[in-house]
């Protein structure tokens, strides 16, 4: 399974746990992380990804960062983890010392996709749609003569995305964060997305139902003195607290779609409506679905995600 992970890491801690899950699955031989791109326009977002990739022994994974994006503030943990030191010395090595050294995200996405076999790449998008919208709008370049739409249609086999909300109890006023912060990008993504490429969305209610428990953070990461994900979790909120697994669910489905961790809606189509919300319409010819989850799946999937996110780096 070839994957690209596009994340707004730094706005919430679940992105960091999701990246840890991807590294665990790669260590198990289930996927290959081709690139990580940040849609949060803060220099420490991509640098934190660099820290995590290096911690797991994969500093060579290409990184890309958004330019002129949204949410430029540091947040509560990415800068602090990147700069974390002991006795005046940085604790976590990384490849890039300055975010300005990291390439722009769309160029990384185009280069990565162009080098892969047709219909072979899964896009996992767990933040804003900014980078993917720009990818779809991009013209041909030195990496491929194809437009962004054509490149995605040729190389991508699935979009696994965390956004929206689909439970029956959803209030009319609800605006899911990944859509709300960059509505134009989300709208353009679904207007431009190739119809033949499947989309599976994990809604707010699925991640909310499956909690990453504080007991896992407190006990499962102690195989090493300094862990960038554990420290980030402890900085994001005052411990102890449980946190929804919003982004982790999109990662797990992308790599293990046939393990019955989730159910799927009937086929349909997504669009961003006039109120700036993700809307689903059933369509038997559609290739777009959202995840569902049963009480039994919640129990099972919680254990799996906690185990994967805390798995030590491969030796």
């Amino acid at each position: 399974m070839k994957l690209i992970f596009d994340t707004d890491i730094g706005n919430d801690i679940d992105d960091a746990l999701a990246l840890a899950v991807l590294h665990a699955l790669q260590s198990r031989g289930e996927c290959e992380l081709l690139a990580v791109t940040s849609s949060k326009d803060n220099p420490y977002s991509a640098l934190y990804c660099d820290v995590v990739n290096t911690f797991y022994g994969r500093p060579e994974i290409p990184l890309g960062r958004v330019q002129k994006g949204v949410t430029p503030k540091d947040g509560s943990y990415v800068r602090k983890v990147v700069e974390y030191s002991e006795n005046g010395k940085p604790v976590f090595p990384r490849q890039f010392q300055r975010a300005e050294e990291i390439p722009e995200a769309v160029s990384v996405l185009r280069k990565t996709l162009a080098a892969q076999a047709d219909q072979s790449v899964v896009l996992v998008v767990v933040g804003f749609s900014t980078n993917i919208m720009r990818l779809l709008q991009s013209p041909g370049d030195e990496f491929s003569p194809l437009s962004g739409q054509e490149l995605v249609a040729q190389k991508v086999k699935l979009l696994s995305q965390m956004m929206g909300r689909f439970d029956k109890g959803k209030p009319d006023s609800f605006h899911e964060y990944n859509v709300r912060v960059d509505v134009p990008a989300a709208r353009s993504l679904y207007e431009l997305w190739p119809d033949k490429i499947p989309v599976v969305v994990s809604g707010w209610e699925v991640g909310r139902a499956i909690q990453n428990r504080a007991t896992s953070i407190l006990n499962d990461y102690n195989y090493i003195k300094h862990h960038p994900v554990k420290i980030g979790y402890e900085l994001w909120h005052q411990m102890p607290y449980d946190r929804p697994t919003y982004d982790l669910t999109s990662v797990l489905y992308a790599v293990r779609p046939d393990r019955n961790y989730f159910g799927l809606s009937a086929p349909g189509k997504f669009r961003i409506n006039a109120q700036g919300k993700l809307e689903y319409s059933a369509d038997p010819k559609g290739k777009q679905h959202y995840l569902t989850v049963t009480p039994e799946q919640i129990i099972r999937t919680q254990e799996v995600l906690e185990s994967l996110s805390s798995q030590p780096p491969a030796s």
Side-chain angles (χ1 to χ4, degrees):
M1 182 76 70
K2 309 279 190 177
L3 289 111
I4 295 172
F5 185 60
D6 187 77
T7 171
D8 66 328
I9 211 160
N11 288 325
D12 202 336
I13 193 58
D14 55 324
D15 301 70
L17 292 161
L19 183 54
V21 168
L22 279 172
H23 279 287
L25 290 166
Q26 179 158 338
S27 295
R28 294 170 180 232
E30 297 184 48
C31 70
E32 180 185 354
L33 189 52
L34 298 174
V36 177
T37 52
S38 170
S39 61
K40 177 177 173 60
D41 194 6
N42 176 276
Y44 292 93
S45 178
L47 289 174
Y48 179 85
C49 294
D50 190 1
V51 163
V52 174
N53 291 346
T54 303
F55 174 83
Y56 282 98
R58 301 184 178 99
E60 74 287 350
I61 293 174
L63 291 174
R65 67 183 186 99
V66 72
Q67 295 179 3
K68 297 182 180 179
V70 291
T71 65
K73 293 183 179 180
D74 284 354
S76 60
Y77 73 94
V78 286
R79 179 196 285 258
K80 291 177 182 177
V81 173
V82 169
E83 296 181 344
Y84 197 83
S85 63
E86 191 174 62
N87 300 321
K89 296 182 179 180
V91 168
F92 298 115
R94 60 185 192 270
Q95 296 304 296
F96 295 98
Q97 297 310 303
R98 299 169 61 252
E100 290 75 14
E101 302 168 10
I102 299 173
E104 190 272 331
V106 173
S107 65
V108 173
L109 292 168
R110 288 188 59 87
K111 181 179 181 179
T112 303
L113 288 173
Q116 301 305 310
D118 291 353
Q119 302 296 300
S120 68
V121 180
V122 174
L123 279 179
V124 181
V125 180
V126 297
F128 317 123
S129 300
T130 317
N131 287 331
I132 310 307
M133 173 201 71
R134 293 176 181 177
L135 166 66
L136 290 164
Q137 294 175 337
S138 65
D141 59 8
E142 68 268 33
F143 305 119
S144 171
L146 301 178
S147 71
Q149 268 187 303
E150 293 168 335
L151 190 61
V152 167
Q154 184 176 96
K155 301 296 184 177
V156 174
K157 70 176 183 178
L158 172 69
L159 169 63
S160 182
Q161 188 168 22
M162 190 278 132
M163 67 187 318
R165 182 173 176 178
F166 307 98
D167 59 304
K168 294 179 180 179
K170 178 180 68 173
D172 291 340
S173 60
F174 183 85
H175 281 72
E176 193 275 316
Y177 183 77
N178 285 346
V179 180
R180 172 172 54 85
V181 174
D182 195 345
V183 171
R187 179 173 286 121
S188 293
L189 186 154
Y190 282 101
E191 290 174 349
L192 297 174
W193 190 258
D195 288 337
K196 70 176 185 177
I197 308 301
V199 177
V200 176
V201 166
S202 182
W204 178 92
E205 70 284 358
V206 173
R208 191 78 173 182
I210 306 167
Q211 298 280 313
N212 194 98
R213 294 167 291 190
T215 52
S216 174
I217 301 299
L218 291 169
N219 296 291
D220 298 342
Y221 294 76
N222 293 332
Y223 58 84
I224 193 168
K225 183 178 179 181
H226 300 298
H227 195 298
V229 174
K230 179 181 181 181
I231 293 174
Y233 196 103
E234 292 170 339
L235 289 167
W236 195 74
H237 274 348
Q238 184 176 348
M239 288 288 286
Y241 67 95
D242 301 341
R243 187 64 190 157
T245 60
Y246 301 122
D247 296 346
L248 290 74
T249 55
S250 287
V251 164
L252 187 63
Y253 178 80
V255 182
R256 295 180 175 178
D258 302 321
R259 295 281 290 272
N260 196 35
Y261 297 125
F262 311 99
L264 282 179
S265 72
K269 289 279 291 183
F270 294 116
R271 75 179 187 99
I272 304 299
N273 65 22
Q275 290 74 44
K277 300 176 183 180
L278 185 65
E279 189 175 80
Y280 163 83
S281 299
D283 181 349
K285 296 182 180 179
K287 290 182 175 290
Q288 301 179 0
H289 304 259
Y290 61 85
L291 297 180
T292 63
V293 68
T294 66
E296 294 78 16
Q297 288 171 325
I298 290 170
I299 295 169
R300 179 167 173 251
T301 305
Q302 180 183 57
E303 294 288 347
V304 169
L305 288 174
E306 288 180 346
S307 176
L308 288 171
S309 59
S310 61
Q311 178 177 302
S315 56

